[in-house]
Amino acid sequence: MAVETAGAARTSFELKSAQLPVVAVALKTTDAAVLAADLAARLADDPGFFDNDPVLIDLAAVRDAEEPVDFAALSASLRALHTQPVAVRGGSPAQMEAALAAGLVAAPEAPPARPAAPAPVREVIREVVREVEVPVAGPTTVVLDKPLRSGQQVYARGGDLVVMAVVSFGAEVIADGNIHIYAPMRGRAIAGARGNTGARIFSTCLEPQLLSIAGIYRTTETELPDNVRGKPAQVRLDGEKLLIEPL
């Protein structure tokens, strides 16, 4: 005779909270043709910069524009650059209604901008995509002692990131503060992700795919000088210009 015991019923799914990577595109014009041309020009030197990243369209700067936004054309331009437009925020009621009709969803409003922070070239709002377990050395520092493979990302929210192993091509390390890499750096390093212009990137072997501080970035389409390529170096901001210097 079968015996049944009390317990939770099994289901075919689980509901969990998730943190996903999102790239915010802040519009400064409602002209879809101008937007398409500027987006294509910005990524002309690095056509593989995006890898089907979800995109949030930020309308705060064009909220009062009289001309409507052609969300269908804008979404097509973004998809052509290997992104997936999924959400919109900050628009007027009419803009939000048009965005919803085009298949986009409404996202929460952005928090107030920090004063005196320069306008970012690319606003980066990212979380860990593929989970990587890391030990925490303190309340504002994350330490990673395992290699990062292509497609993996680590984000040190609110502080510094210390990496003790190689960051492979296609991997990404992000910190709101500084990034220290005591190994070859071959992927993407994004410091000052929330606008900290005083953040820096340090590496004992700089061979990056991309470097960024507070939204100002540089790709390997512009070759590094011999005195820093593959050598110990630091990256910092001077105004809106990235400086890469030997250590």
Side-chain angles (χ1 to χ4, degrees), residues 178-182 200-204 206 233-235 247:
N178 303 309
I179 296 177
H180 304 259
I181 305 170
Y182 299 102
R200 299 191 182 196
I201 300 169
F202 305 90
S203 175
T204 57
L206 193 65
Q234 70 163 330
V235 185
L247 287 176

Side-chain angles (χ1 to χ4, degrees), residues 31-55:
D31 190 320
V34 171
L35 287 167
D38 287 350
L39 285 167
R42 174 66 58 84
L43 298 175
D45 292 336
D46 191 6
F49 183 76
F50 293 115
D51 185 14
N52 293 317
D53 296 320
V55 163

Side-chain angles (χ1 to χ4, degrees), residues 204-227:
T204 57
C205 181
L206 193 65
E207 303 172 319
Q209 181 182 2
L210 176 141
L211 298 168
S212 174
I213 296 178
I216 308 298
Y217 69 89
R218 169 176 176 154
T219 69
T220 51
E221 293 297 323
T222 304
E223 190 172 359
L224 295 180
D226 291 338
N227 65 331

Side-chain angles (χ1 to χ4, degrees), residues 25 27 31-33 35-37 39-40 43 50 52-53 55 57 69-87 99 102-104:
V25 177
L27 302 192
D31 190 320
L35 287 167
L39 285 167
L43 298 175
F50 293 115
N52 293 317
D53 296 320
V55 163
I57 301 171
V69 179
D70 187 342
F71 288 101
L74 176 58
S75 295
S77 298
L78 290 168
R79 284 192 290 269
L81 297 171
H82 308 292
T83 69
Q84 297 296 326
V86 295
L104 300 169

Side-chain angles (χ1 to χ4, degrees), residues 109-115:
E109 294 291 330
R114 293 182 179 181

